[in-house]
Amino acid sequence: MSCIKNALLIIKQHKKALININLAFYTILILTILTTSYASEIQNYFKPDIEQVFAKPGIFKTTGDVYEHGNIVFSIVITFLVNLVITLSMTTLPSFIIPFIGILAVLYRAVLWGFLFAPIGPDKITMILHTLTWLIESQAYILAAFAAWVHGSMFFWPTRYGMTSRWDGYHAGLISTARFYPLILITLLISAIYEGIDAIYFMPLLLK
């Protein structure tokens, strides 16, 4: 469990940053939900694009098909892998190229979720019941944004960490991200397990 201790130590050293990212994410999410509640046509603008993504052959359609067939193990595995790819491709890896850029991607996700999942219209009960799933999943993305912030901070302000060059800071940031990632993986796994159980077992019962 030393990997978890390493991640918790990083959080302890930068707890204000993690708090601020959480505040920014959920403030944006709440504001976009409220905006969509008063202007429902915003949701209609985004939903067709999302529906097309799930209708076209690809990983998202495969994910939807797996849920429909009720295979809980496969559902958990594919949900975990999809969310991991999203985390790596939209937050972690871009931040290695342009520091901090992945944080913007996570905050944009808050905007998108607020518009798409605002509890309005015929699907509002489903959206409300699915809230816990989004909360758990959002924490994984927030943790990834936090890791990107720590990496960028080490790169731009290496002297704060006892280093003399930005290259040393960049390298230290990579190591920090690697040490922090087990916590992100665990959060993604918990999210995938809950989402699989929720979608296959809980939701059908609650919506009867």
Side-chain angles (χ1 to χ4, degrees), residues 17 20-21 24-25 28 90-92 94-95 98-110 141-142 144-153:
N20 288 336
I21 294 171
F25 185 94
I28 292 170
M90 294 187 65
T91 304
T92 304
S95 295
I98 304 175
F100 303 128
I101 193 70
I103 299 174
L104 296 179
V106 171
L107 296 180
Y108 173 73
R109 177 169 290 272
Y141 299 135
I142 288 169
F146 170 73
W149 187 91
V150 173
H151 173 267
S153 296

Side-chain angles (χ1 to χ4, degrees), residues 50 53-66 78 82-83 86:
I50 299 299
V53 168
F54 279 91
K56 292 179 181 178
I59 189 65
F60 291 103
K61 186 178 185 302
T62 301
T63 304
D65 292 342
V66 167
I78 197 167
V82 168
N83 290 339
I86 290 172

Side-chain angles (χ1 to χ4, degrees), residues 44-88:
N44 297 329
Y45 176 80
F46 284 95
K47 272 195 170 181
D49 291 337
I50 299 299
E51 290 171 355
Q52 286 181 16
V53 168
F54 279 91
K56 292 179 181 178
I59 189 65
F60 291 103
K61 186 178 185 302
T62 301
T63 304
D65 292 342
V66 167
Y67 278 111
E68 286 184 7
H69 286 86
N71 188 322
I72 185 66
V73 174
F74 195 25
S75 298
I76 291 169
V77 171
I78 197 167
T79 299
F80 172 80
L81 292 176
V82 168
N83 290 339
L84 176 59
V85 169
I86 290 172
T87 304
L88 287 169

Side-chain angles (χ1 to χ4, degrees), residues 123-177:
D123 297 327
K124 62 182 178 181
I125 300 299
T126 303
M127 299 304 176
I128 292 171
L129 295 175
H130 215 48
T131 300
L132 185 56
T133 300
W134 302 327
L135 287 174
I136 299 171
E137 186 176 331
S138 66
Q139 276 303 303
Y141 299 135
I142 288 169
L143 290 173
F146 170 73
W149 187 91
V150 173
H151 173 267
S153 296
M154 288 183 167
F155 173 69
F156 281 110
W157 304 287
T159 55
R160 294 181 184 178
Y161 301 90
M163 292 169 284
T164 57
S165 71
R166 284 201 169 93
W167 170 247
D168 289 339
Y170 183 89
H171 184 257
L174 293 178
I175 295 173
S176 175
T177 301

Side-chain angles (χ1 to χ4, degrees), residues 15-52:
K15 60 183 178 181
K16 285 186 178 180
L18 183 57
I19 291 171
N20 288 336
I21 294 171
N22 270 279
L23 286 174
F25 185 94
Y26 292 116
T27 298
I28 292 170
L29 181 62
I30 291 169
L31 288 175
T32 50
I33 287 174
L34 291 174
T35 301
T36 308
S37 298
Y38 285 100
S40 59
E41 62 273 13
I42 296 175
Q43 194 174 77
N44 297 329
Y45 176 80
F46 284 95
K47 272 195 170 181
D49 291 337
I50 299 299
E51 290 171 355
Q52 286 181 16

